[in-house]
């Protein structure tokens, strides 16, 4: 039988270790394209918000939401050096109808994103944007069961955005992976449902979500030890009382 002193020592040690080991930060995606990109298309330079690339979506019903991160995949196109910038904007939507919704007139949060070109033409430029890069968007609280749009506009140069072409009309929403009750509403260019030809309605490489802290496996194991010790202690007390 484990002595009372030993049980309490194990409990104290387990709790100390569990509190001392940091948790792992894990990104949870609410919205992301299912397929890898297969082409790209250029931005219009110094455009207004209606000359854009973007996605519309509806949040889940269970809670409010804050984006902790946004990832994008651009392309240098013909550019070989220098830097680039654009505005990333979270807005309302023109409506809530699938394959019709686009960026609304109310800009809820906007950040200017700056990046450096990799130095070669037709080269992918992955961007992993966090609170330091997009402080206004990550600080904004989205309501439950509400439609929003996330767009890029006002590019500083004629770089490009990656895309996956070839989807048929009325199917593009099926090629985004969503979670937490989110749903895809539309993919658009220049505030119209995006079609690069009559048989191709592309998806765009917008992905976003939140970041949660998950205990390391060793912490879970120590938690199990602590639970076992507490159970043994409770069993001993029950026997004494009886």
């Amino acid at each position: 039988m484990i002595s009372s002193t030993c049980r309490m020592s194990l409990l104290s040690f387990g709790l100390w270790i569990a509190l001392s080991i940091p948790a792992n930060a894990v990104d949870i995606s609410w919205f992301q394209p299912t397929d890898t990109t297969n082409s790209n298309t250029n931005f219009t330079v110094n455009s207004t918000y209606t000359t854009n690339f973007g996605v519309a979506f509806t949040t889940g019903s269970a809670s409010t939401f804050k984006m902790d991160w946004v990832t994008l995949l651009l392309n240098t196109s013909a550019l070989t050096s220098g830097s680039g910038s654009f505005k990333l904007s979270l807005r309302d939507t023109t409506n809530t109808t699938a394959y019709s919704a686009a960026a609304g007139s109310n800009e809820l949060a906007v950040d200017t994103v700056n990046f450096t070109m990799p130095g070669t033409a037709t080269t992918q430029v992955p961007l992993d944007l966090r609170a330091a890069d997009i402080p206004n968007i990550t600080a904004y609280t989205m309501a439950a069961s509400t439609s929003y749009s996330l767009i890029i506009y006002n590019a500083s140069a004629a770089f490009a955005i990656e895309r996956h072409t070839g989807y048929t009309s009325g199917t593009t929403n099926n090629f985004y992976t969503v979670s937490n009750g989110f749903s895809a509403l539309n993919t658009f260019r220049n505030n119209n449902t995006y079609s690069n030809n009559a048989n191709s309605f592309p998806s765009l490489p917008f992905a976003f979500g939140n970041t949660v802290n998950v205990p390391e496996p060793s912490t879970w194991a120590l938690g199990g030890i602590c639970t076992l010790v507490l159970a043994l202690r409770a069993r001993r007390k029950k026997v004494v009382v009886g």
Side-chain angles (χ1 to χ4, degrees), residues 27-61:
D27 288 342
I28 305 298
S29 174
W30 296 332
F31 184 104
Q32 66 178 11
T34 302
D35 298 326
T36 57
T37 58
N38 57 15
S39 63
N40 64 80
T41 186
N42 284 24
F43 285 92
T44 300
V45 178
N46 297 326
S47 61
T48 61
Y49 90 88
T50 53
T51 305
N52 56 36
F53 288 97
V55 293
F57 59 92
T58 301
T59 57
S61 61

Side-chain angles (χ1 to χ4, degrees), residues 30-219:
W30 296 332
F31 184 104
Q32 66 178 11
T34 302
D35 298 326
T36 57
T37 58
N38 57 15
S39 63
N40 64 80
T41 186
N42 284 24
F43 285 92
T44 300
V45 178
N46 297 326
S47 61
T48 61
Y49 90 88
T50 53
T51 305
N52 56 36
F53 288 97
V55 293
F57 59 92
T58 301
T59 57
S61 61
S63 179
T64 57
F65 301 89
K66 283 188 176 183
M67 292 184 190
D68 291 326
W69 56 269
V70 176
T71 62
L72 300 165
L73 187 58
L74 306 183
N75 192 292
T76 57
S77 189
L79 303 175
T80 58
S81 63
S83 60
S85 68
F86 59 87
K87 287 187 177 181
L88 183 67
S89 175
L90 182 67
R91 309 180 76 96
D92 63 356
T93 56
T94 53
N95 59 63
T96 59
T97 303
Y99 302 108
S100 173
S105 58
N106 294 319
E107 189 162 66
L108 307 172
V110 61
D111 291 289
T112 298
V113 176
N114 299 283
F115 65 97
T116 302
M117 299 288 181
T120 53
T122 61
T123 302
Q124 290 187 347
V125 184
L127 297 179
D128 181 10
L129 307 176
R130 305 283 166 159
D133 309 299
I134 49 172
N136 296 319
I137 288 175
T138 55
Y140 185 81
T141 301
M142 296 185 293
S145 304
T146 304
S147 296
Y148 295 93
S149 61
L150 186 65
I151 68 170
I152 296 176
Y153 71 100
N154 196 35
S156 63
F159 48 85
I161 187 169
E162 292 278 313
R163 62 185 180 180
H164 185 101
T165 57
Y167 302 131
T168 59
S169 179
T171 67
T172 305
N173 288 347
N174 300 331
F175 296 96
Y176 292 101
T177 300
V178 293
S179 70
N180 283 64
F182 279 62
S183 60
L185 271 180
N186 201 17
T187 303
F188 49 89
R189 178 181 186 177
N190 298 339
N191 248 28
N192 291 297
T193 299
Y194 189 13
S195 173
N196 66 311
N197 64 58
N199 300 306
S200 177
F201 292 75
S203 65
L204 293 172
F206 285 80
F208 54 84
N210 70 330
T211 302
V212 298
N213 291 322
V214 178
E216 294 181 356
S218 58
T219 305

Side-chain angles (χ1 to χ4, degrees), residues 7 231-242:
R7 283 194 296 269
L232 288 171
R233 187 182 181 197
R235 181 175 180 274
R236 181 177 178 275
K237 283 185 175 182
K238 182 177 180 181
V239 171
V240 171
V241 172

